Amino acid sequence: MAAPLLLSTYLLLLPLGQAALPVVINTWPFKNAAAAAWNTLQSGGSVLDAVEKGCALCEVEQCDGTVGYGGSPDETGETTLDAMIMNGDTMEVGAVANLRRIKNAIGVARAVMERTDQTMLVGESASVFAEDMGFIAEDLTTIKSTNIFSNWLKGNCQPNYRKNVVPDPSKSCGPYKPSVALKQSNRTRHANTNSHDTIGIIALDQDGHVAAGTSTNGLTHKVPGRVGDSPVIGAGAYADRSAGAAAATGDGDIMMCFLPSYLAVELMRAGADPSTACEAAISRIKRHYPQFFGAIICANTTGHYGAACNKAPTLSQFHYMVSTSETNTPVQKSVNCF
Ligand code: SD4
């Protein structure tokens, strides 16, 4: 019988994109959030705990201003949050969308999963639920979000996500009414790396338990009530113990129409390696929206991982964090967009 390989020797032999379990991966170079997730797992927490703690740290630190309070004010200046968490063992999900006044959106998402038999709560009712569950109601507005909002008003409410309304939303602020003519136009996107960053985390432990989750404050100047892809199951993230997990980031209005996280997980189930699965999920969207802003991370049940992104004017390379026992600390990885 061959002598057992020392763990360190084994890890050194691993090619890029391959990691022994456990592994934690997150979108964008949010290092502190990655460390929070990894340390949670290392200190005996579950994969759900790891995902929750990582996202929660971003909600406190406001990772790039695109997660948590004080970022991405909507057309009225309010910040609202979307989050979801998925247990890939039980296939249970908890999600909140358009959550108001509560900073810890991922915590509320987990409470939806663990303290109700429902899957997603939205808007004001989600906030009432959160308060009932002990989450503190606070104003999510900051000086920064107020400035973003007032500059937008001063600039005639540009950029703007409305269409087929009067007055012309590309020139004027609302209130808007429907225009008589319904013009077919390509979706105008305002995606750039400043208005788009969501934390998506995938965690797999050494026993094969898997979880995924997301947290975001969505898109700056969004139409009030707008919900992005992040809390939508199979769009923002997906996890299935028998196949793997994925999490997406980018232009949610486009991406959610293609359920990229679900697609990537199903491709891994069919045998695709994580990088190929990630690329295929991006390609599917690219066929319809060649310039869309978006990226995805994927990991399979053996701890192989990968990522892919669409080459867009503001995205040529996508950075993400990977934590494994090899380094015992998050390491930044990059993938060239195609
Ligand atoms: C959204 N997908 O609300 C989020 C934003 C994002 O990278 O991921 N940005 O559309």
Side-chain angles (χ1 to χ4, degrees):
M1 197 168 56
L5 278 175
L6 284 173
L7 179 65
S8 55
T9 316
Y10 170 65
L11 290 168
L12 282 174
L13 294 174
L14 295 173
L16 189 73
Q18 182 174 353
L21 293 172
V23 61
V24 175
I25 308 173
N26 66 266
T27 55
W28 306 108
F30 299 142
K31 191 168 179 209
N32 294 345
W38 177 249
N39 293 338
T40 299
L41 203 57
Q42 288 308 93
S43 52
S46 68
V47 284
L48 286 170
D49 295 335
V51 168
E52 182 185 353
K53 295 288 182 232
C55 289
L57 193 74
C58 250
E59 289 168 351
V60 171
E61 291 190 344
Q62 303 167 291
C63 287
D64 280 359
T66 58
V67 181
Y69 71 102
S72 305
D74 69 12
E75 281 183 353
T76 68
E78 183 176 2
T79 293
T80 60
L81 308 179
D82 295 342
M84 73 102 111
I85 188 161
M86 180 161 191
N87 181 337
D89 295 349
T90 62
M91 306 308 283
E92 287 171 299
V93 176
V96 283
N98 197 32
L99 180 71
R100 311 177 70 191
R101 301 190 306 278
I102 310 285
K103 287 183 176 172
N104 182 206
I106 191 74
V108 184
R110 188 159 179 186
V112 171
M113 183 172 72
E114 294 181 341
R115 301 185 188 282
T116 78
D117 276 331
Q118 323 248 256
T119 301
M120 183 187 280
L121 297 182
V122 304
E124 189 59 33
S125 304
S127 309
V128 171
F129 165 80
E131 285 183 65
D132 290 345
M133 292 300 109
F135 293 86
I136 296 162
E138 293 168 87
D139 188 356
L140 302 189
T141 307
T142 58
I143 293 172
K144 191 175 164 203
S145 66
T146 305
N147 285 342
I148 295 171
F149 174 56
S150 54
N151 286 336
W152 183 73
L153 287 179
K154 275 185 225 145
N156 294 324
C157 303
Q158 301 307 308
N160 192 303
Y161 288 100
R162 306 264 180 169
K163 66 180 182 186
N164 291 319
V165 290
V166 286
D168 181 351
S170 70
K171 298 193 177 78
S172 314
C173 295
Y176 304 105
K177 296 264 178 275
S179 58
V180 178
L182 208 53
K183 274 197 246 151
Q184 278 300 335
S185 60
N186 287 338
R187 281 175 130 170
T188 311
R189 306 315 303 174
H190 313 292
N192 62 56
T193 40
N194 298 323
S195 69
H196 284 263
D197 276 356
T198 287
I199 185 152
I201 306 184
I202 299 169
L204 288 101
D205 71 13
Q206 56 207 15
D207 300 319
H209 300 297
V210 52
T214 58
S215 184
T216 186
N217 51 29
L219 288 189
T220 311
H221 317 308
K222 60 192 175 186
V223 176
R226 181 263 187 192
V227 170
D229 58 328
S230 303
V232 176
I233 304 143
Y238 199 70
D240 182 340
R241 184 187 179 140
S242 61
T249 175
D251 193 335
D253 294 290
I254 288 176
M255 294 178 80
M256 74 162 97
C257 303
F258 299 87
L259 297 181
S261 296
Y262 178 74
L263 176 59
V265 170
E266 290 309 306
L267 291 170
M268 290 189 283
R269 188 195 306 285
D273 68 77
S275 300
T276 307
C278 273
E279 282 161 20
I282 293 290
S283 292
R284 181 72 61 89
I285 308 171
K286 197 180 176 79
R287 248 188 257 164
H288 298 265
Y289 296 98
Q291 300 243 298
F292 87 97
F293 180 94
I296 186 166
I297 53 172
C298 302
N300 67 15
T301 51
T302 54
H304 290 73
Y305 61 86
C309 49
N310 190 38
K311 199 168 192 167
T314 53
L315 190 68
S316 57
Q317 218 180 32
F318 170 63
H319 306 291
Y320 60 106
M321 303 301 302
V322 177
S323 309
T324 65
S325 313
E326 186 184 6
T327 54
N328 202 28
T329 187
V331 173
Q332 186 175 316
K333 304 271 176 180
S334 303
V335 62
N336 290 327
C337 302
F338 69 96

PDB file of all heavy atoms in Angstrom, residues 28 82 195-198 216 218-219 226 228-230 248-253 293, ligand 1:
ATOM      1  N   TRP A  28     -15.298  39.414  -5.464  1.00  0.00           N
ATOM      2  CA  TRP A  28     -14.558  40.671  -5.265  1.00  0.00           C
ATOM      3  C   TRP A  28     -13.496  40.530  -4.169  1.00  0.00           C
ATOM      4  O   TRP A  28     -13.572  39.612  -3.337  1.00  0.00           O
ATOM      5  CB  TRP A  28     -15.511  41.840  -4.954  1.00  0.00           C
ATOM      6  CG  TRP A  28     -16.593  42.003  -5.984  1.00  0.00           C
ATOM      7  CD1 TRP A  28     -17.923  41.717  -5.818  1.00  0.00           C
ATOM      8  CD2 TRP A  28     -16.455  42.443  -7.350  1.00  0.00           C
ATOM      9  NE1 TRP A  28     -18.617  41.965  -6.979  1.00  0.00           N
ATOM     10  CE2 TRP A  28     -17.752  42.408  -7.932  1.00  0.00           C
ATOM     11  CE3 TRP A  28     -15.375  42.867  -8.119  1.00  0.00           C
ATOM     12  CZ2 TRP A  28     -17.977  42.783  -9.258  1.00  0.00           C
ATOM     13  CZ3 TRP A  28     -15.612  43.233  -9.439  1.00  0.00           C
ATOM     14  CH2 TRP A  28     -16.897  43.195  -9.980  1.00  0.00           C
ATOM     15  N   ASP A  82     -30.831  43.741  -0.198  1.00  0.00           N
ATOM     16  CA  ASP A  82     -31.242  42.411  -0.657  1.00  0.00           C
ATOM     17  C   ASP A  82     -30.223  41.396  -0.121  1.00  0.00           C
ATOM     18  O   ASP A  82     -29.010  41.669  -0.155  1.00  0.00           O
ATOM     19  CB  ASP A  82     -31.183  42.302  -2.193  1.00  0.00           C
ATOM     20  CG  ASP A  82     -32.167  43.208  -2.923  1.00  0.00           C
ATOM     21  OD1 ASP A  82     -33.135  43.681  -2.304  1.00  0.00           O
ATOM     22  OD2 ASP A  82     -31.957  43.424  -4.136  1.00  0.00           O
ATOM     23  N   SER A 195     -20.856  51.125  -9.183  1.00  0.00           N
ATOM     24  CA  SER A 195     -22.244  50.917  -8.782  1.00  0.00           C
ATOM     25  C   SER A 195     -22.574  49.438  -8.649  1.00  0.00           C
ATOM     26  O   SER A 195     -23.672  49.078  -8.319  1.00  0.00           O
ATOM     27  CB  SER A 195     -23.189  51.587  -9.771  1.00  0.00           C
ATOM     28  OG  SER A 195     -23.159  50.933 -11.004  1.00  0.00           O
ATOM     29  N   HIS A 196     -21.622  48.584  -8.930  1.00  0.00           N
ATOM     30  CA  HIS A 196     -21.869  47.143  -8.885  1.00  0.00           C
ATOM     31  C   HIS A 196     -20.823  46.412  -8.086  1.00  0.00           C
ATOM     32  O   HIS A 196     -19.686  46.320  -8.488  1.00  0.00           O
ATOM     33  CB  HIS A 196     -21.859  46.565 -10.292  1.00  0.00           C
ATOM     34  CG  HIS A 196     -23.088  46.871 -11.045  1.00  0.00           C
ATOM     35  ND1 HIS A 196     -24.130  46.009 -11.142  1.00  0.00           N
ATOM     36  CD2 HIS A 196     -23.434  47.963 -11.724  1.00  0.00           C
ATOM     37  CE1 HIS A 196     -25.078  46.553 -11.872  1.00  0.00           C
ATOM     38  NE2 HIS A 196     -24.672  47.743 -12.237  1.00  0.00           N
ATOM     39  N   ASP A 197     -21.182  45.866  -7.027  1.00  0.00           N
ATOM     40  CA  ASP A 197     -20.359  44.960  -6.234  1.00  0.00           C
ATOM     41  C   ASP A 197     -21.317  44.364  -5.242  1.00  0.00           C
ATOM     42  O   ASP A 197     -21.952  45.085  -4.508  1.00  0.00           O
ATOM     43  CB  ASP A 197     -19.292  45.690  -5.420  1.00  0.00           C
ATOM     44  CG  ASP A 197     -18.032  45.994  -6.187  1.00  0.00           C
ATOM     45  OD1 ASP A 197     -17.951  45.578  -7.344  1.00  0.00           O
ATOM     46  OD2 ASP A 197     -17.170  46.647  -5.627  1.00  0.00           O
ATOM     47  N   THR A 198     -21.363  43.069  -5.226  1.00  0.00           N
ATOM     48  CA  THR A 198     -22.187  42.381  -4.243  1.00  0.00           C
ATOM     49  C   THR A 198     -21.293  41.375  -3.600  1.00  0.00           C
ATOM     50  O   THR A 198     -20.459  40.796  -4.285  1.00  0.00           O
ATOM     51  CB  THR A 198     -23.323  41.638  -4.972  1.00  0.00           C
ATOM     52  OG1 THR A 198     -24.268  42.592  -5.423  1.00  0.00           O
ATOM     53  CG2 THR A 198     -24.018  40.638  -4.074  1.00  0.00           C
ATOM     54  N   THR A 216     -26.292  42.683  -0.659  1.00  0.00           N
ATOM     55  CA  THR A 216     -26.029  43.846  -1.514  1.00  0.00           C
ATOM     56  C   THR A 216     -26.998  44.975  -1.183  1.00  0.00           C
ATOM     57  O   THR A 216     -28.056  44.740  -0.600  1.00  0.00           O
ATOM     58  CB  THR A 216     -26.198  43.458  -3.001  1.00  0.00           C
ATOM     59  OG1 THR A 216     -25.814  44.558  -3.831  1.00  0.00           O
ATOM     60  CG2 THR A 216     -27.630  43.093  -3.342  1.00  0.00           C
ATOM     61  N   GLY A 218     -27.733  46.753  -3.903  1.00  0.00           N
ATOM     62  CA  GLY A 218     -28.351  46.843  -5.232  1.00  0.00           C
ATOM     63  C   GLY A 218     -27.718  47.873  -6.135  1.00  0.00           C
ATOM     64  O   GLY A 218     -26.501  48.003  -6.171  1.00  0.00           O
ATOM     65  N   LEU A 219     -28.542  48.576  -6.860  1.00  0.00           N
ATOM     66  CA  LEU A 219     -28.065  49.535  -7.861  1.00  0.00           C
ATOM     67  C   LEU A 219     -28.348  50.960  -7.412  1.00  0.00           C
ATOM     68  O   LEU A 219     -29.446  51.259  -6.958  1.00  0.00           O
ATOM     69  CB  LEU A 219     -28.810  49.334  -9.183  1.00  0.00           C
ATOM     70  CG  LEU A 219     -28.508  48.100 -10.021  1.00  0.00           C
ATOM     71  CD1 LEU A 219     -29.193  48.233 -11.365  1.00  0.00           C
ATOM     72  CD2 LEU A 219     -27.011  47.955 -10.213  1.00  0.00           C
ATOM     73  N   ARG A 226     -37.279  48.178  -6.517  1.00  0.00           N
ATOM     74  CA  ARG A 226     -36.474  47.300  -7.379  1.00  0.00           C
ATOM     75  C   ARG A 226     -35.736  46.244  -6.535  1.00  0.00           C
ATOM     76  O   ARG A 226     -35.120  46.543  -5.526  1.00  0.00           O
ATOM     77  CB  ARG A 226     -35.460  48.130  -8.161  1.00  0.00           C
ATOM     78  CG  ARG A 226     -34.575  47.340  -9.117  1.00  0.00           C
ATOM     79  CD  ARG A 226     -33.238  47.002  -8.529  1.00  0.00           C
ATOM     80  NE  ARG A 226     -32.345  46.387  -9.511  1.00  0.00           N
ATOM     81  CZ  ARG A 226     -31.199  45.785  -9.215  1.00  0.00           C
ATOM     82  NH1 ARG A 226     -30.801  45.736  -7.971  1.00  0.00           N
ATOM     83  NH2 ARG A 226     -30.463  45.246 -10.143  1.00  0.00           N
ATOM     84  N   GLY A 228     -32.907  43.141  -7.035  1.00  0.00           N
ATOM     85  CA  GLY A 228     -31.917  42.620  -7.983  1.00  0.00           C
ATOM     86  C   GLY A 228     -31.889  41.105  -7.988  1.00  0.00           C
ATOM     87  O   GLY A 228     -32.775  40.427  -7.459  1.00  0.00           O
ATOM     88  N   ASP A 229     -30.829  40.574  -8.551  1.00  0.00           N
ATOM     89  CA  ASP A 229     -30.668  39.119  -8.651  1.00  0.00           C
ATOM     90  C   ASP A 229     -30.206  38.482  -7.349  1.00  0.00           C
ATOM     91  O   ASP A 229     -30.431  37.297  -7.113  1.00  0.00           O
ATOM     92  CB  ASP A 229     -29.641  38.802  -9.746  1.00  0.00           C
ATOM     93  CG  ASP A 229     -28.288  39.467  -9.462  1.00  0.00           C
ATOM     94  OD1 ASP A 229     -28.261  40.560  -8.868  1.00  0.00           O
ATOM     95  OD2 ASP A 229     -27.254  38.881  -9.828  1.00  0.00           O
ATOM     96  N   SER A 230     -29.553  39.293  -6.503  1.00  0.00           N
ATOM     97  CA  SER A 230     -28.852  38.706  -5.357  1.00  0.00           C
ATOM     98  C   SER A 230     -29.738  37.855  -4.444  1.00  0.00           C
ATOM     99  O   SER A 230     -29.309  36.792  -3.999  1.00  0.00           O
ATOM    100  CB  SER A 230     -28.151  39.807  -4.560  1.00  0.00           C
ATOM    101  OG  SER A 230     -27.279  40.497  -5.420  1.00  0.00           O
ATOM    102  N   ALA A 248     -23.246  34.830  -8.034  1.00  0.00           N
ATOM    103  CA  ALA A 248     -23.045  35.766  -9.147  1.00  0.00           C
ATOM    104  C   ALA A 248     -23.048  37.199  -8.658  1.00  0.00           C
ATOM    105  O   ALA A 248     -23.596  37.520  -7.595  1.00  0.00           O
ATOM    106  CB  ALA A 248     -24.142  35.558 -10.190  1.00  0.00           C
ATOM    107  N   THR A 249     -22.454  38.064  -9.449  1.00  0.00           N
ATOM    108  CA  THR A 249     -22.432  39.487  -9.140  1.00  0.00           C
ATOM    109  C   THR A 249     -22.481  40.257 -10.447  1.00  0.00           C
ATOM    110  O   THR A 249     -22.001  39.766 -11.471  1.00  0.00           O
ATOM    111  CB  THR A 249     -21.156  39.847  -8.345  1.00  0.00           C
ATOM    112  OG1 THR A 249     -21.104  41.267  -8.164  1.00  0.00           O
ATOM    113  CG2 THR A 249     -19.887  39.402  -9.048  1.00  0.00           C
ATOM    114  N   GLY A 250     -23.073  41.427 -10.412  1.00  0.00           N
ATOM    115  CA  GLY A 250     -23.120  42.232 -11.629  1.00  0.00           C
ATOM    116  C   GLY A 250     -24.496  42.824 -11.849  1.00  0.00           C
ATOM    117  O   GLY A 250     -25.224  43.097 -10.899  1.00  0.00           O
ATOM    118  N   ASP A 251     -24.809  42.992 -13.106  1.00  0.00           N
ATOM    119  CA  ASP A 251     -26.039  43.684 -13.486  1.00  0.00           C
ATOM    120  C   ASP A 251     -27.254  42.770 -13.291  1.00  0.00           C
ATOM    121  O   ASP A 251     -27.660  42.031 -14.181  1.00  0.00           O
ATOM    122  CB  ASP A 251     -25.924  44.105 -14.949  1.00  0.00           C
ATOM    123  CG  ASP A 251     -27.013  45.083 -15.325  1.00  0.00           C
ATOM    124  OD1 ASP A 251     -28.079  45.075 -14.676  1.00  0.00           O
ATOM    125  OD2 ASP A 251     -26.801  45.864 -16.269  1.00  0.00           O
ATOM    126  N   GLY A 252     -27.821  42.874 -12.098  1.00  0.00           N
ATOM    127  CA  GLY A 252     -28.833  41.921 -11.678  1.00  0.00           C
ATOM    128  C   GLY A 252     -30.078  41.879 -12.534  1.00  0.00           C
ATOM    129  O   GLY A 252     -30.699  40.819 -12.680  1.00  0.00           O
ATOM    130  N   ASP A 253     -30.464  43.020 -13.110  1.00  0.00           N
ATOM    131  CA  ASP A 253     -31.690  43.027 -13.918  1.00  0.00           C
ATOM    132  C   ASP A 253     -31.534  42.139 -15.144  1.00  0.00           C
ATOM    133  O   ASP A 253     -32.481  41.499 -15.577  1.00  0.00           O
ATOM    134  CB  ASP A 253     -32.039  44.460 -14.325  1.00  0.00           C
ATOM    135  CG  ASP A 253     -32.414  45.270 -13.102  1.00  0.00           C
ATOM    136  OD1 ASP A 253     -33.482  45.020 -12.528  1.00  0.00           O
ATOM    137  OD2 ASP A 253     -31.594  46.115 -12.687  1.00  0.00           O
ATOM    138  N   PHE A 293     -22.394  43.628 -17.573  1.00  0.00           N
ATOM    139  CA  PHE A 293     -21.403  43.644 -16.500  1.00  0.00           C
ATOM    140  C   PHE A 293     -21.726  42.504 -15.547  1.00  0.00           C
ATOM    141  O   PHE A 293     -22.792  42.486 -14.928  1.00  0.00           O
ATOM    142  CB  PHE A 293     -21.474  44.988 -15.773  1.00  0.00           C
ATOM    143  CG  PHE A 293     -20.498  45.134 -14.647  1.00  0.00           C
ATOM    144  CD1 PHE A 293     -19.269  45.728 -14.858  1.00  0.00           C
ATOM    145  CD2 PHE A 293     -20.819  44.674 -13.382  1.00  0.00           C
ATOM    146  CE1 PHE A 293     -18.361  45.864 -13.808  1.00  0.00           C
ATOM    147  CE2 PHE A 293     -19.916  44.802 -12.327  1.00  0.00           C
ATOM    148  CZ  PHE A 293     -18.693  45.398 -12.552  1.00  0.00           C
TER     149      PHE A 293
HETATM  150  C1  SD4 B   1     -27.810  43.863  -8.178  1.00  0.00           C
HETATM  151  N1  SD4 B   1     -26.287  42.076  -8.584  1.00  0.00           N
HETATM  152  O1  SD4 B   1     -28.548  44.299  -7.328  1.00  0.00           O
HETATM  153  C2  SD4 B   1     -26.542  43.204  -7.747  1.00  0.00           C
HETATM  154  C3  SD4 B   1     -25.448  44.180  -7.787  1.00  0.00           C
HETATM  155  C4  SD4 B   1     -24.138  43.521  -7.941  1.00  0.00           C
HETATM  156  O2  SD4 B   1     -21.975  43.526  -8.490  1.00  0.00           O
HETATM  157  O3  SD4 B   1     -23.931  42.382  -7.885  1.00  0.00           O
HETATM  158  N2  SD4 B   1     -23.146  44.148  -8.235  1.00  0.00           N
HETATM  159  O4  SD4 B   1     -28.037  43.956  -9.374  1.00  0.00           O
END
